[in-house]
Amino acid sequence: MAISTPGSSAARRGYEPWDDPNATPILKIAALSKSFGPVVAVDRVDLNIFKGEFFALLGPSGCGKTTLLRMLAGFDRPDSGSIMLDGADMTAVPPYRRPVNMMFQSYALFPHMSVERNIAFGLKQEGLPAREIKARVAEALALVQLPDHGKRKPHQLSGGQRQRIALARSLVKRPKVLLLDEPLAALDRKLREETQFELINIQEKVGITFVIVTHDQDEAMTMASRIAVMDRGRIAQIATPGEIYEQPNSRYVADFIGKVNLFEGNLVGGETPLVRSAEAGCDIVLADAPGLRAGQRLWVAVRPEKFEISREPPPPGSTNCLSGVVWDIGYLGDVSTYRIKLDTGKMVVAAEANRVRRTERTITWEDRVYLRWTPRAAVALLN
Amino acid sequence: MNNLSPLSELTERWLRPAVERVPRGLAIGIPYAWLLIFFLAPFAIVLKISFAEPQLAMPPYTSIFEFLNEAGDYFSVELNLGNYLLLIEDDLYWRAYLNSLKIAAISTALALLLGFPMAYAMARAPERWRGPLVMMMILPFWTSFLIRVYAWIGILKGEGLLNGFLQWLGLIDQPLAILNTDIAVYIGIVYSYLPFMVLPLYATLEKMDESLLEAAADLGCRPFKALWKITVPLARPGIIAGSCLVFIPVVGEVVIPDLLGGSETLMIGRTLWSEFFTNRDWPVASAVAIVLLLLLVVPIALFQRHLLVRAEATR
C-alpha cells in the first residue's frame, strides 16, 4: 500500500472550513425530507459539506442515512427541501445529469463487461475521444493498484478487487462529490481496516469530496473529517470524530459511538458545578457547566477508559469516586474491560490497557474496587 | 479395515456404494430412457421409412431389409435415396422449407418485440402483482390450443369481431380480408407462442439487479440507452431461450397455417401432413421430416458448442 505522506488526513492537517464563516459549502442541503408511506425516512435535514471533506453519515440501519445518500445521487426524489451542489440546484435533476457519482454497496459492476469497459462506461456517456478514455481508464486502474486487471470480467475478481474497481469506476468521471454507500461492508475485517487507510489516501490524492454512509463507527472515526450521527431521520450531531467522542451532545450519540456509562443526577448550585447522583452513589464534580441551572436534571457520561481502577479506598467524602465489586472481566488482548457492580446496584464498564502481562494482573473477580476520574474526563448531557 | 470380515468388507466396499449410487443413477437414467424410447426409437423408424419406397399395402412402404434365402443367411439393405432427391428437385419442398423458416423468423422477431416489454413490465411490477401476472400469462394454456386458434377465425373473418369493431368505429367501409392470409397466420402464431417468449424473458429480467440500472444512470446513461446497454445484454439467455422456444416449433407448425392461412400459405408442416395423410407417401413424408429435423438440430448444436467454448474461454 502506497502511503503518500504520513498522517496527512484532512482533519489532522488542520483543514477546518466548517469553522470558517466565509467558506461556502460545495454541497448545501436544506430542510430535506422524504417519507415512504407512513415512514419518515429523512426528516428536515440541514447539512453543509465543504470541498475536499471526507464526510461520514453514521447511524444504525433504518436511520435514513442511505435514503439521504440516494437523494443526493438522484435516485429518490425528496418530498421537500433542496440540494444545492456548487451553487446549482440539484433537487429535481435526474441522476444521469448530476455531477456526482456513487459507489454502490453491492458494487453494481456490469457483469457482462470487462473491467476496462466498466470503468470506461461513464466516460463514454460524456462522448470523450477514445484516446482520452483509454488514458483515463489506465490512470484509474493505476490509482486503485490494479493496472493489469483491465481485461478481466467482474466474476474473475476477488471481493477486494471488485471493491477497488467499483471505486475506480465511480472516480474516473472526476465527480464534484463522490457518494459511497457502505463501501467496505462486504470485505472481511482485516481487508476492511487496510482499505480504510487506502481510501483516505486516494481521497487525498484525487481531492474529491467524499460522502460516505456507514453503520460502522470505527470506519467513520478512522476516515472521516466530520461525522453526522443520524437518529430516526434526523441529524443528532455533526462534529469531528474527536468532538463526537469526547463531547457528544446527547445520550444517543454518546451511546452510539463507543461505550459509555451514564449517571443520572441533579445539579446542585454552588461555585463548582456539583451533581448529586443516586445512581453513582457519590457527588460528581463537573469541569464546567455553562448555562446550567441549579436543580436541573442531567446525565454525566464517563467513557470506560477514563476511569482509574484501584483497590485502595479513597479518603472518605471524596467526589468522583465509585465503589463496587468486579462482576466480570473481558480480556481482549490489548485492553481488559471490567464490569463492575456498584454498591448502588448499577452496573458500569471500565477499561484498562494491559500494559503488563496478564499473569501479573492484580484485579480479579469479586475484588472490591474504586473507580475515579478527573472532572475534565466526563461530559454532562441534558438529553 | 483389515479386521473386517470378508462379508462386511464386501458390503462396505461394493454393495453400499452401489446402493448409494442408485438414486442418482435413477434420476439421470429416467430422462435418458424416456428420450431413448420416445424420441430416438421413433426417429430411427422414420429414418428407416425415409429410405423405403411407397407401396399400396399395409404398411404403405417397402421394407429396406431383406433376407435373400430361406435360412436367412444373407441379408441385404436397399436404400432408396429417391425421396431425398425429390426434395431437391421439386421446388415445392424447398420453397415450403424456406417459407417456414421465414415465417418462423418473422414471428419470433414479432414475439420478441411484443414479449420483451411485457416481460420487463412484469419483472418490474410490485412483487405482489408478479404472481398473478405470471398466472395470467399461463392461463390460456388451460384451454385447448385448437379451440383458441379456432376462436381467431371468429375474430378475423370478414363479418368477425375485428372487422365489426373497425366498421363500428368508422375506420373502414369494407371488411378487411385478414383471414386466410399470411397476416392471419402471423397473428395466430404470435398469439399462441407469446407465453413461450415472455416466461423465459421474465425469469431472467426478474433476477436482474436493479442497482445496475441505477449505476448506469449514475454514470450518465439515459434510461433508454441503459435498457439497450445493460438490460438487453443481461437478458440474452432469456432472449435466446425464448427465441428457440418460439422458432423451433413454429417452423413445423401445422394447425395455425391450416386454420388461419390461405391455400398459398406454404409451410413445411402442412406439406408433411399432406404427404402423410393425403398422398399417403410415407417415405417422402419421412424424408421431409428428417430434413426438417436436420435443418433445426444442426444450427442449434453448433450454437450450443459456440456458447460452451465461449463460457470456457471466459472462465
Side-chain angles (χ1 to χ4, degrees), chain A residues 37 73-74 83 171-173 175-176 184 216 270 296 304 327 372 374 378:
Chain A
I83 301 167
L171 276 174
V172 77
K173 290 190 75 171
K176 285 185 175 161
L184 308 177
D216 183 335
Q296 193 158 19
W327 204 257
R372 313 197 56 169
T374 60

Side-chain angles (χ1 to χ4, degrees), chain A residues 70 73 75 95-97 100-102 104 106 108-113 121-122 125 153 155-156 169 173, chain B residues 209 211-223 225-226 229-231 233-234 310 313-315:
Chain A
R70 288 176 59 82
F75 301 139
Y96 51 86
R97 272 202 236 112
V100 298
N101 284 126
M102 173 132 150
F104 290 78
S106 65
L109 295 173
F110 305 129
H112 58 299
M113 295 183 193
F121 188 85
Q125 309 310 317
K153 286 274 184 75
H155 72 267
Q156 294 168 304
R169 188 180 70 177
K173 290 190 75 171
Chain B
D209 183 2
S211 69
L212 294 177
L213 290 179
E214 286 182 348
D218 186 65
L219 292 165
C221 188
R222 287 166 165 279
K225 198 175 170 196
K229 289 268 175 192
I230 310 292
T231 311
L234 287 176
R310 253 178 62 117
T314 52
R315 195 145 292 155

Side-chain angles (χ1 to χ4, degrees), chain A residues 133-153:
Chain A
I133 290 178
K134 208 171 166 219
R136 283 188 42 187
V137 169
E139 190 189 330
L141 280 169
L143 183 71
V144 297
Q145 293 167 49
L146 290 171
D148 306 321
H149 290 64
K151 299 281 180 243
R152 303 220 186 150
K153 286 274 184 75

Side-chain angles (χ1 to χ4, degrees), chain A residues 328-340:
Chain A
D328 238 331
I329 303 177
Y331 176 70
L332 301 174
D334 49 351
V335 292
S336 288
T337 63
Y338 300 89
R339 271 159 45 82
I340 293 157

Side-chain angles (χ1 to χ4, degrees), chain B residues 147 215 224 236:
Chain B
I147 290 171
F224 188 75
R236 224 176 72 146

Side-chain angles (χ1 to χ4, degrees), chain B residues 115-135 137 197-210 213 227 231 234-235:
Chain B
F116 195 92
M118 287 173 78
Y120 190 83
M122 282 165 68
R124 291 283 164 271
E127 206 151 340
R128 66 205 149 85
W129 290 11
R130 289 183 204 165
L133 285 171
V134 171
M135 199 60 215
M137 210 69 229
M197 181 63 87
V198 171
L199 292 175
L201 275 176
Y202 167 76
T204 45
L205 288 173
E206 207 243 343
K207 274 185 295 179
M208 210 183 92
D209 183 2
E210 253 180 282
L213 290 179
L227 179 77
T231 311
L234 287 176

